Amino acid sequence: MGDVAAKIKVMPQSPEVDLDELEDRLEAALPEGAEIRGYQREDVAFGLVALLPTVIVPDDAGGTEAVEDAFRDVEGVESIDVDSVGRL
Protein backbone atom coordinates (compact mmCIF):
# COMPACT_ATOMS: atom_id res chain seq x y z
CA MET A 1 0.00 0.00 0.00
CA GLY A 2 1.09 3.57 -0.60
CA ASP A 3 0.56 6.89 1.08
CA VAL A 4 -2.11 9.55 0.70
CA ALA A 5 -1.32 13.27 0.53
CA ALA A 6 -4.03 15.68 1.64
CA LYS A 7 -4.02 19.46 1.66
CA ILE A 8 -6.16 20.59 4.58
CA LYS A 9 -7.38 24.16 4.95
CA VAL A 10 -7.16 25.21 8.60
CA MET A 11 -8.99 28.41 9.52
CA PRO A 12 -7.78 30.11 12.71
CA GLN A 13 -10.32 31.55 15.16
CA SER A 14 -9.16 35.11 14.53
CA PRO A 15 -6.45 37.18 12.80
CA GLU A 16 -4.72 37.46 16.19
CA VAL A 17 -3.84 33.74 16.29
CA ASP A 18 -0.06 33.31 15.93
CA LEU A 19 0.27 31.10 12.85
CA ASP A 20 3.75 29.84 13.76
CA GLU A 21 2.45 28.63 17.12
CA LEU A 22 -0.61 27.14 15.43
CA GLU A 23 1.68 25.17 13.10
CA ASP A 24 3.51 23.78 16.15
CA ARG A 25 0.22 22.76 17.79
CA LEU A 26 -0.97 21.06 14.59
CA GLU A 27 2.31 19.09 14.41
CA ALA A 28 1.91 18.00 18.03
CA ALA A 29 -1.68 16.86 17.44
CA LEU A 30 -0.92 14.55 14.51
CA PRO A 31 -1.98 10.94 14.98
CA GLU A 32 0.66 8.23 14.78
CA GLY A 33 1.84 7.52 11.24
CA ALA A 34 0.88 10.94 9.87
CA GLU A 35 3.31 13.71 9.03
CA ILE A 36 3.16 17.25 7.69
CA ARG A 37 5.30 17.99 4.64
CA GLY A 38 5.04 21.72 4.43
CA TYR A 39 2.62 24.57 4.86
CA GLN A 40 1.15 27.19 2.60
CA ARG A 41 -0.64 30.31 3.78
CA GLU A 42 -3.64 31.80 2.06
CA ASP A 43 -5.04 35.28 2.67
CA VAL A 44 -8.77 34.98 3.29
CA ALA A 45 -10.19 38.38 4.29
CA PHE A 46 -9.81 41.20 6.80
CA GLY A 47 -6.34 40.06 7.87
CA LEU A 48 -7.36 36.43 8.36
CA VAL A 49 -4.85 33.94 6.94
CA ALA A 50 -5.60 30.22 6.51
CA LEU A 51 -2.96 27.52 6.93
CA LEU A 52 -2.80 24.77 4.33
CA PRO A 53 -0.63 21.92 5.62
CA THR A 54 0.10 19.02 3.30
CA VAL A 55 -0.45 15.91 5.42
CA ILE A 56 0.87 12.47 4.48
CA VAL A 57 -0.97 9.44 5.90
CA PRO A 58 -0.61 5.73 5.10
CA ASP A 59 -3.23 4.50 2.63
CA ASP A 60 -4.37 1.83 5.07
CA ALA A 61 -4.99 4.38 7.86
CA GLY A 62 -8.58 4.98 6.75
CA GLY A 63 -8.11 8.31 5.03
CA THR A 64 -7.75 11.69 6.66
CA GLU A 65 -10.49 11.38 9.31
CA ALA A 66 -8.09 10.89 12.24
CA VAL A 67 -6.07 13.94 11.17
CA GLU A 68 -9.22 16.03 10.68
CA ASP A 69 -10.49 15.08 14.15
CA ALA A 70 -7.11 15.85 15.74
CA PHE A 71 -6.88 19.25 14.02
CA ARG A 72 -10.42 20.22 15.12
CA ASP A 73 -9.37 19.84 18.76
CA VAL A 74 -6.32 22.13 18.44
CA GLU A 75 -6.50 25.42 20.32
CA GLY A 76 -7.00 28.36 17.95
CA VAL A 77 -8.64 26.36 15.13
CA GLU A 78 -12.05 27.59 14.01
CA SER A 79 -12.64 25.06 11.22
CA ILE A 80 -10.92 22.68 8.86
CA ASP A 81 -11.72 21.54 5.35
CA VAL A 82 -9.99 18.98 3.14
CA ASP A 83 -8.90 20.94 0.07
CA SER A 84 -7.48 18.08 -2.01
CA VAL A 85 -6.47 14.43 -1.67
CA GLY A 86 -4.26 12.24 -3.84
CA ARG A 87 -2.15 9.11 -3.72
CA LEU A 88 1.61 9.23 -3.73
Side-chain angles (χ1 to χ4, degrees):
M1 297 227 128
D3 290 332
V4 173
K7 187 176 286 188
I8 300 176
K9 188 173 192 173
V10 179
M11 295 296 296
Q13 290 176 336
S14 74
E16 287 79 34
V17 172
D18 183 314
L19 296 180
D20 292 327
E21 288 180 11
L22 184 55
E23 286 180 6
D24 292 341
R25 290 193 296 269
L26 292 173
E27 289 270 354
L30 283 173
E32 188 176 330
E35 67 175 289
I36 294 176
R37 289 209 188 143
Y39 290 90
Q40 292 178 330
R41 294 184 182 193
E42 178 181 286
D43 292 330
V44 179
F46 306 108
L48 189 63
V49 178
L51 287 178
L52 290 117
T54 299
V55 180
I56 309 299
V57 294
D59 194 19
D60 60 353
T64 61
E65 281 187 43
V67 174
E68 293 173 57
D69 291 341
F71 282 3
R72 279 188 187 97
D73 292 335
V74 170
E75 178 185 346
V77 172
E78 177 67 28
S79 66
I80 63 135
D81 186 44
V82 177
D83 192 49
S84 63
V85 177
R87 288 188 178 209
L88 294 179

